[in-house]
Amino acid sequence: MLTIKNTLDCAGNINIPEITTVVLAACAGMWLFYIQHQYEDVYWAREQNWDMTDAGLKGSSYYKLPKVLQWTVGNIGLHHIHHLRANIPNYHLQRCHDEVPALQTVKPLTFRKSLKSLWLNLWDENRQILVSFRSIKKLNRLQKTT
C-alpha cells in the first residue's frame, strides 16, 4: 500500500515519480471503470423491466482499445462479456468475443466517442438516454420561453 512514509527516499525527500505514476494509474483505473458503465448508448432499466442479457450486452461497454493497451489492462474493454459471465478469465475474453457471434453485435466504444461521455451525467427517463447538465439547462430555458 502506498503511504507518504514509503514514498520518501532515504534522505526524506518525496519520491515524485512514484507518486506521479500511482496517481496516473489511479486516474486510468477510474476512467476505465467509469466508461464501462456510463456512455452514450447505455442500457438502464428499472427493476421490473431489467433483463440480465440486455444489461450485460447493452449496459456495459465494449471499449475497443489498441491491442497493447488491451493486454495491459487485462482485456477490461471486453466488459460486456464480463457482465454476462463474470467467471470467464480475462485472458479468455477476446477468444470468447471472437467465437460467439452475439457478442460481436455490440457496437464498440472508441476512445474519441468515450470522451463525449464525460458530460453525460443524468438519466432522462422519458427519452431513455443519458444527458448532460447543460442539456437540462437548455431544456429549462426553452420551457420558460414557451
Side-chain angles (χ1 to χ4, degrees):
M1 168 169 269
L2 179 69
T3 65
I4 293 299
K5 185 176 181 179
N6 66 13
T7 60
L8 300 177
D9 63 16
C10 59
N13 299 316
I14 294 176
N15 188 336
I16 299 298
E18 183 177 328
I19 290 175
T20 304
T21 301
V22 169
V23 168
L24 290 175
C27 290
M30 287 185 289
W31 170 254
L32 288 169
F33 182 80
Y34 174 83
I35 201 60
Q36 300 298 329
H37 306 99
Q38 187 113 350
Y39 55 97
E40 189 172 18
D41 299 319
V42 72
Y43 164 89
W44 285 16
R46 297 231 176 243
E47 188 175 340
Q48 64 271 18
N49 298 323
W50 188 82
D51 177 78
M52 184 174 173
T53 303
D54 282 343
L57 292 175
K58 300 174 189 172
S60 54
S61 69
Y62 167 28
Y63 197 31
K64 192 160 177 94
L65 299 169
K67 289 292 182 190
V68 172
L69 188 54
Q70 180 180 328
W71 177 83
T72 303
V73 297
N75 291 320
I76 193 77
L78 296 157
H79 207 66
H80 61 300
I81 301 170
H82 163 75
H83 272 264
L84 284 176
R85 293 284 171 103
N87 61 339
I88 298 173
N90 67 325
Y91 48 86
H92 287 309
L93 291 173
Q94 184 65 57
R95 191 178 93 204
C96 184
H97 180 267
D98 295 343
E99 293 178 4
V100 179
L103 299 175
Q104 297 168 23
T105 64
V106 175
K107 186 178 172 185
L109 180 65
T110 62
F111 181 73
R112 177 174 280 163
K113 192 169 182 178
S114 72
L115 293 176
K116 184 179 179 182
S117 299
L118 284 170
W119 290 271
L120 300 176
N121 315 99
L122 305 167
W123 182 252
D124 184 331
E125 288 281 345
N126 296 329
R127 296 186 291 164
Q128 296 289 294
I129 59 170
L130 283 172
V131 295
S132 66
F133 284 109
R134 181 177 289 162
S135 69
I136 297 299
K137 287 179 183 177
K138 285 180 186 177
L139 183 63
N140 286 340
R141 276 186 255 151
L142 287 173
Q143 289 175 343
K144 287 179 183 178
T145 59
T146 55

